């Protein structure tokens, strides 16, 4: 009788608003898959031979999976979190060895016939559970180096295994977990450092071949070193409050840069970046000296940041040269250094044409010419959003994004109201994964982010990603339902 009352309580405590948004996205996604995969020779949208027919099975099985997940109590996940994580890491490692080569990667495991699964999609919920379990333990403090290192290790291990499968795009998704760490108290300097690294790489690579006037000074190298100086000085100001050190470093760094530019412009042309690099070295030595003199560890961390900042430009060139040819070409196309409309830039260019051709109201369901004639490769998976833009126009695309916005806001509410650390951490992990997929996928289709091949949640064709997202979401909803039950 008590179990029956609990089940009734769970049913009444379920967040039906989130489930409604989930169903809307799945159904809308199915119509988009129909538009992307429609075949005039086989017009039956429900036939198993078609992707739209298979997507019905994936969607229906996801609903069954969701119902099963709502019957599993939170304490099971609390007990089995590390076991699930370990099992998934073993599966990721085994996949590297036994998975067949599929378009250059070894990330798909055949399970019979034409059906394949991608373990990387299921590892996300395992990592989220393990992080929630670890951060919920007694005495955990994210400010402690050991605790933070273990949390980062839980994230990095699956990333390395997925990179071993040659699935770089799927591995990059795991960086989303760092946003959760920031919510739980990780210092903002780590996120800022990551942001700075991206800025250094983009600016350095995009303007590496441009020169300042007639001087032999690369705009990319000059800008990166100037940013490294400015960011380092700013961190001393913000985190150490040492105005004397700030004034001294600013005077030396900016003064030396100005003198070097004037000398190169009016006396003898030379690469002023050598002088800037020397000024950066003096600045780093000065900060290290402050660390030893004051015994304030923040100075040492800032010095490390400065060292990495000054060396990243030169390291990024080496890393870029060791990338695969198609990866280098994609980056060059994204940065505008190369126009390759028949090669790496073809997908994005055709996706833009498809979206633009939809106009304000769209061409209507199954009437998209770009998608029907297969001009956009992978239009039913990674580039599914271009089908929305062509068939439903600007208004339909805006409506889809509005539903996603409501879904994201709902996840924030659900995550924030969890009474225990594990539920809150898991909730924010789920939120960050969905945010990353949404921003990168839509940005990828619009040409704003690199083409790294990640699906749009609930819209892209495929069972692995749909089941993976369902696992993430409904484990959270079960935790939330128990939270409501305990308040009754």
């Amino acid at each position: 009788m008590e179990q029956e009352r609990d089940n009734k309580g769970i049913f009444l405590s379920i967040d039906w608003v989130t489930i409604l948004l989930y169903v809307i996205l799945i159904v809308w996604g199915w119509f988009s898959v129909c538009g992307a995969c429609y075949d005039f020779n086989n017009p039956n949208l429900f036939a198993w031979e078609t992707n739209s027919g298979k997507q019905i099975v994936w969607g229906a099985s996801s609903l069954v999976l969701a119902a099963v997940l709502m019957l599993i109590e939170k304490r099971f996940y609390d007990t089995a979190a590390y076991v699930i994580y370990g099992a998934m890491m073993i599966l990721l490692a085994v996949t590297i060895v036994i998975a067949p080569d599929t378009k250059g990667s070894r990330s798909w495991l055949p399970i019979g016939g034409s059906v394949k699964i991608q373990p990387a999609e299921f590892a996300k919920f395992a990592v989220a559970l393990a992080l929630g379990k670890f951060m919920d333990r007694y005495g955990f403090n994210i400010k402690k180096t050991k605790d933070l290192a273990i949390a980062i290790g839980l994230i990095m291990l699956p990333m390395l295994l997925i990179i071993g499968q040659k699935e770089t795009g799927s591995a990059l998704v795991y960086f989303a977990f760092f946003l959760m760490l920031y919510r739980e108290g990780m210092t903002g300097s780590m996120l800022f450092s990551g942001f700075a690294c991206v800025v250094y790489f983009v600016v350095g690579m995009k303007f590496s071949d441009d020169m300042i006037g007639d001087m032999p000074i690369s705009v990319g190298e000059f800008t990166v070193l100037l940013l490294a100086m400015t960011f380092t000085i700013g961190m001393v100001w913000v985190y150490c409050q040492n105005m004397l050190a700030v004034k001294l470093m600013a005077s030396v760094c900016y003064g030396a840069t100005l003198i070097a530019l004037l000398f190169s412009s009016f006396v003898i042309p030379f690469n002023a970046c050598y002088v800037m690099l020397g000024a950066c070295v003096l600045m780093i030595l000065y900060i290290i000296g402050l660390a030893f003199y004051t015994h304030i560890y923040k100075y040492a961390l800032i010095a490390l940041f400065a060292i990495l900042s000054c060396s990243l430009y030169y390291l990024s060139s080496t890393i870029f040269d060791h990338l695969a040819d198609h990866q280098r070409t994609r980056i060059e196309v994204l940065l505008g250094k190369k126009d390759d409309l028949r090669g790496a830039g073809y997908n994005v260019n055709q996706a833009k044409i498809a979206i633009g051709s939809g106009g304000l109201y769209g061409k209507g369901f199954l009437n998209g010419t770009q998608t029907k004639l297969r001009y956009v490769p992978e239009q039913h998976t990674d580039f599914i959003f271009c089908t929305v833009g062509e068939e439903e126009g600007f208004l339909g695309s805006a409506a889809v994004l509005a539903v996603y916005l409501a879904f994201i806001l709902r996840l924030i509410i659900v995550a924030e109201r969890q009474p225990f650390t594990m539920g809150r951490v898991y909730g924010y992990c789920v939120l960050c994964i969905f945010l990353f997929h949404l921003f990168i996928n839509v940005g990828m289709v619009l040409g704003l982010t690199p083409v790294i091949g990640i699906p749009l949640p609930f819209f892209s064709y495929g069972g692995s990603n749909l089941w993976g997202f369902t696992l993430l979401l409904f484990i959270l909803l079960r935790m939330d339902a128990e939270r409501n039950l305990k308040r009754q």
Side-chain angles (χ1 to χ4, degrees), residues 61-141:
S61 60
S62 294
L63 294 176
V64 174
L65 175 61
V68 172
L69 290 171
M70 293 305 296
L71 298 176
I72 302 175
E73 295 184 358
K74 173 185 176 292
R75 61 183 177 183
F76 167 78
Y77 302 113
D78 188 56
T79 303
Y82 293 145
V83 176
I84 295 172
Y85 179 85
M88 287 306 307
M89 295 308 103
I90 293 173
L91 182 59
L92 289 177
V94 170
T95 301
I96 300 174
V97 180
I98 67 174
D101 189 291
T102 305
K103 296 182 180 180
S105 71
R106 293 183 176 275
S107 59
W108 293 87
L109 292 176
I111 58 175
S114 60
V115 180
K116 298 179 181 179
I117 63 169
Q118 188 177 24
E121 292 293 336
F122 301 104
K124 296 169 188 173
F125 91 93
V127 174
L129 283 175
L131 285 170
K133 173 72 172 179
F134 176 69
M135 297 175 70
D136 193 34
R137 70 183 180 86
Y138 178 77
F140 173 84
N141 187 345

Side-chain angles (χ1 to χ4, degrees), residues 197 200-201 221 224-225 228-229 232 277 280-281 284 303-319:
C197 289
Y200 296 152
F201 181 81
E221 183 179 9
V224 169
L225 289 175
M229 291 177 180
T232 302
L277 191 58
C280 287
V281 171
I284 292 169
L304 178 61
F305 169 81
I307 293 171
L308 294 175
S309 296
C310 294
S311 59
L312 184 61
Y313 173 80
Y314 307 99
L315 289 174
S316 62
S317 299
T318 303
I319 295 172

Side-chain angles (χ1 to χ4, degrees), residues 460-476:
S460 294
Y461 168 80
S464 292
N465 68 76
L466 189 52
W467 293 343
F469 291 133
T470 299
L471 277 167
L472 279 167
L473 178 62
F474 278 87
I475 290 175
L476 172 62

